[in-house]
Amino acid sequence: MRPHTPFSAKSLAHLHAAVVIEELRRCGVEVFCVSPGARAIPLILALEDNPGVVTKLFNDERSAAFWAQGAAKGGTLPCLVCTSGTAAANYLPGVIEASLAGAPLLVLTTDRPFELQYAKANQTIPQRDLFAPFAAAAFDIPAPEQRLFPHALLADLDQAVFEARRNHRPVHLNMAYRKPFTDEAFSMEHLPSEDADVLERWLRADRPYCDYLLPQVCLADADTQRIAARIAAARNVVCVAGPLPPTKSTTALREFAVHLAAPLFADINSGLRCDGAHPPVLALYNLYLRGARSQLPPADLVLYFGDRIVSEPLREFLEAQRGDLIVCSPYPLRQDTIENEFMYPTMKVWEDPGAFAQVLLAAVPARRPGMLACALDACESAAYQRLAALLGMQSGEPLVESRVIYEVFRHIHDESAVYLSASLIFREAEYFVPTLGKTLHVGANRGATGIDGVLSSGIGLGEGLHEPCTVLIGDQALLHDLNALALVGAATVPVYVIVINNRSGAIFRFFDLGATGERLRNPHPWDFRGVAENFHLPYVRPLSIEDFVTAYQQAQAARQSTLFEIMVDGEASVQLFQAAGRA
């Protein structure tokens, strides 16, 4: 007896693809990011046939990969789908970022069958190890010939999804298809009985072929007690929150710091500055740590949660402490450099920071604030007045990058996403964004920390979180990702693109390189008005900070995706940033 199937298969390749798409759907893959090409026709037909999946079309594979890793950071499990050859190679930058940022996703590249390999066939390159070493696993699935071998196919798909979730990294599925992609003579009756029997049982079950259960990693009781004893013995404890996943709650970490009466330094990418909770964390430490460090009582224990911080002043402060440094992160390998210098952890805990904080909350007695906590609290309070003086809060002040970023965070709506561009914009947000009484999800490409794919990633984060997203991006970064403007109008959430245009790579203003530095800045004469018109996007070019705030508020109220271009003096912006570091 042949199985009843919902698939109106037009060929063996089409049936194979239909099984692939349905099993990935059952495993929780929520959206398929397709850059159409001929070799992917079987999968495209299968996606059209399956009402349970969401398909997004992308003209550019590079943009698609960055969108997918942004969506993965927002809690979605996406699958990229492309044709063979250099189309697959264009995924590499986004796959690298996802791998280093701990974002799980599937990369499904279609390939030519084995007889066309190593024969200089059209659009054919060696694809099997294309993403090594950035993929947690790679599965090479040959083109079907007379048989599907559904047990092996389904088991491989289940294993692939498990590996992506277990490792929080991309997994590569390289899947060959042989012509014909459609065949009027094909019938399900042609399947061998053993294949048909497996398919019949699978179709009736309507669940993944093999359910993989993820274990909950937690510390042994003895190790928890070791750490609790170390905390109890310390007089001055400091907590540091580096970047944390935007989908994870920060409540336990904040409660743990309050329980210990310990100061909590919050990186801009931690989510703790903008989680709507009280009491506030330390956010403006970049404005005072260098000047105050020699006068502060020493910390004899630092508890560090999450990924790599960006702050050089905070790194210098941590390096000056002489006690233990305990790092808790879901990243299992070393992560002890800040920019080009080192931290020196004495213990590494491989666990979710929120879960770790929750365990310690029950294991450690409450404490009263010590001298270091009181001193840092006084410094933080004074820094708010210094912030106003640095940014020049009077009307009519010239437009500088830091002020624009400050006003974005001040006026963005509650329950929104923000995506920050490398490199100076991210650092300026780290310096100048205080604690806020609203809940924002802050993202950035801090895995490989490149400037490519920023807009695509931000749109992906907003759509993954189902929240309006503001993308703060530099002119050079937007030039690297112009194709992503095609995604703005089609996004399922409003996207507010704020391009800060200083007509150059401002990072080279930090180095005294003379005429060579000016060439490296690679100054350009362009603005983005014509590009916005080409992609049918509303365009605003405010001439003052007041004009910008008004236009930004109006766009948010109307939920209208808009491109804002703000022309700033790059040299003045760099000088302000340097002045803040010296304060």
Side-chain angles (χ1 to χ4, degrees):
M1 176 183 176
R2 299 300 185 223
H4 169 72
T5 173
F7 309 134
S8 54
K10 298 179 174 66
S11 65
L12 183 62
H14 183 197
L15 176 61
H16 181 279
V19 171
V20 169
I21 297 301
E22 173 60 16
E23 183 65 0
L24 292 178
R25 182 198 69 80
R26 294 183 185 187
C27 289
V29 176
E30 299 178 36
V31 61
F32 291 82
C33 309
V34 180
S35 298
R39 194 57 46 170
I41 283 174
L43 290 161
I44 293 169
L45 293 173
L47 286 165
E48 289 295 305
D49 291 343
N50 195 317
V53 300
V54 174
T55 303
K56 286 184 69 73
L57 296 179
F58 293 81
N59 296 317
D60 175 10
E61 290 86 2
R62 188 165 173 270
S63 177
F66 277 109
W67 184 96
Q69 70 90 23
K73 290 173 180 174
T76 295
L77 180 59
C79 178
L80 293 160
V81 178
C82 74
T83 191
S84 63
T86 56
N90 281 308
Y91 283 154
L92 183 58
V95 169
I96 291 172
E97 175 61 31
S99 180
L100 296 179
L105 59 91
L106 298 178
V107 186
L108 201 168
T109 58
T110 54
D111 204 353
R112 307 283 163 136
F114 79 92
E115 65 269 19
L116 296 179
Q117 301 292 329
Y118 316 111
K120 208 173 186 297
N122 184 51
Q123 214 168 318
T124 305
I125 64 173
Q127 291 181 195
R128 177 174 181 172
D129 299 317
L130 189 59
F131 303 114
F134 303 105
F139 295 78
D140 201 40
I141 299 176
E145 299 180 69
Q146 285 88 47
R147 292 193 59 182
L148 285 181
F149 295 99
H151 165 73
L153 175 62
L154 292 164
D156 279 350
L157 294 170
D158 297 338
Q159 178 77 24
V161 175
F162 169 69
E163 293 294 345
R165 287 191 169 127
R166 179 173 73 96
N167 292 284
H168 301 282
R169 293 176 66 202
V171 165
H172 183 199
L173 290 159
N174 189 54
M175 208 164 282
Y177 286 111
R178 181 180 286 108
K179 290 181 178 180
F181 302 137
T182 60
D183 181 5
E184 296 299 327
F186 176 77
S187 168
M188 296 288 292
E189 298 293 323
H190 297 157
L191 288 179
S193 59
E194 53 265 48
D195 283 12
D197 291 343
V198 173
L199 278 178
E200 183 178 24
R201 291 196 300 273
W202 172 70
L203 286 166
R204 282 201 308 263
D206 194 28
R207 63 174 183 268
Y209 185 70
C210 179
D211 264 325
Y212 277 79
L213 304 180
L214 285 163
Q216 297 299 313
V217 179
C218 60
L219 281 181
D221 289 343
D223 290 329
T224 300
Q225 293 306 315
R226 280 176 62 200
I227 297 171
R230 183 66 193 90
I231 294 171
R235 288 186 301 170
N236 286 313
V237 179
V238 165
C239 295
V240 176
L244 299 166
T247 54
K248 296 282 190 178
S249 171
T250 56
T251 301
L253 209 161
R254 182 186 288 272
E255 289 179 350
F256 177 60
V258 170
H259 186 73
L260 288 186
L264 175 56
F265 295 98
D267 182 275
I268 184 62
N269 207 185
S270 69
L272 280 155
R273 297 191 196 183
C274 317
D275 62 0
H278 292 281
V281 296
L282 300 180
L284 298 180
Y285 45 84
N286 292 286
L287 305 186
Y288 58 80
L289 269 184
R290 279 183 170 140
R293 192 172 72 234
S294 62
Q295 303 166 41
L296 293 169
D300 42 5
L301 177 62
V302 176
L303 300 173
Y304 183 115
F305 300 86
D307 210 339
R308 184 182 68 237
I309 58 173
V310 69
S311 169
E312 278 288 311
L314 181 53
R315 181 197 62 77
E316 293 165 4
F317 170 80
L318 297 179
E319 187 177 17
Q321 310 312 307
R322 291 293 177 260
D324 285 342
L325 170 59
I326 299 175
V327 175
C328 173
S329 169
Y331 186 69
L333 305 178
R334 284 179 56 194
Q335 54 178 109
D336 56 1
T337 57
I338 307 301
E339 293 302 312
N340 299 309
E341 305 297 335
F342 290 100
M343 297 190 307
Y344 301 96
T346 53
M347 182 181 291
K348 174 72 179 282
V349 180
W350 179 40
E351 190 174 8
D352 171 69
F356 180 56
Q358 191 68 54
V359 168
L360 291 180
L361 191 60
V364 176
R367 302 161 63 116
R368 297 179 61 82
M371 293 175 60
L372 177 58
C374 294
L376 285 170
D377 186 59
C379 289
E380 183 78 9
S381 297
Y384 277 79
Q385 284 73 47
R386 189 171 295 133
L387 177 67
L390 281 165
L391 294 181
M393 296 303 189
Q394 305 302 314
S395 62
E397 292 283 346
L399 285 169
V400 290
E401 296 183 19
S402 302
R403 178 71 187 278
V404 173
I405 294 165
Y406 172 84
E407 296 295 347
V408 166
F409 276 85
R410 183 181 173 196
H411 294 285
I412 192 172
H413 285 185
D414 197 14
E415 297 291 345
S416 293
V418 187
Y419 217 81
L420 300 172
S421 177
S423 61
L424 186 55
I425 285 176
F426 189 90
R427 289 173 171 82
E428 288 169 322
E430 163 69 12
Y431 268 58
F432 296 107
V433 174
T435 55
L436 299 166
K438 61 181 80 173
T439 300
L440 304 176
H441 294 104
V442 181
N445 287 348
R446 293 296 297 170
T449 327
I451 69 168
D452 49 343
V454 171
L455 179 54
S456 299
S457 301
I459 298 169
L461 179 71
E463 293 196 90
L465 292 169
H466 308 291
E467 291 181 352
C469 186
T470 294
V471 181
L472 274 158
I473 189 168
D475 53 297
Q476 292 282 0
L478 185 53
L479 287 170
H480 276 73
D481 202 20
L482 278 180
N483 285 349
L485 290 172
L487 307 178
V488 175
T492 56
V493 297
V495 179
Y496 313 108
V497 184
I498 301 172
V499 54
I500 298 176
N501 189 348
N502 57 33
R503 298 195 185 281
S504 68
I507 192 70
F508 291 103
R509 295 185 186 275
F510 286 92
F511 306 99
D512 184 12
L513 301 174
T516 300
E518 184 64 19
R519 285 196 300 275
L520 290 173
R521 274 202 313 115
N522 196 18
H524 64 82
W526 306 311
D527 63 34
F528 296 92
R529 182 189 299 273
V531 179
E533 292 173 355
N534 186 62
F535 286 100
H536 307 292
L537 295 176
Y539 174 87
V540 177
R541 183 169 169 174
L543 299 178
S544 69
I545 201 69
E546 293 79 15
D547 290 344
F548 164 67
V549 168
T550 299
Y552 183 47
Q553 289 176 318
Q554 289 173 345
Q556 289 186 97
R559 295 179 64 84
Q560 182 179 54
S561 295
T562 303
L563 174 62
F564 300 87
E565 181 167 19
I566 303 178
M567 309 300 297
V568 300
D569 184 330
E571 187 170 358
S573 296
V574 168
Q575 289 173 352
L576 173 59
F577 182 80
Q578 291 173 322
R582 292 191 299 268

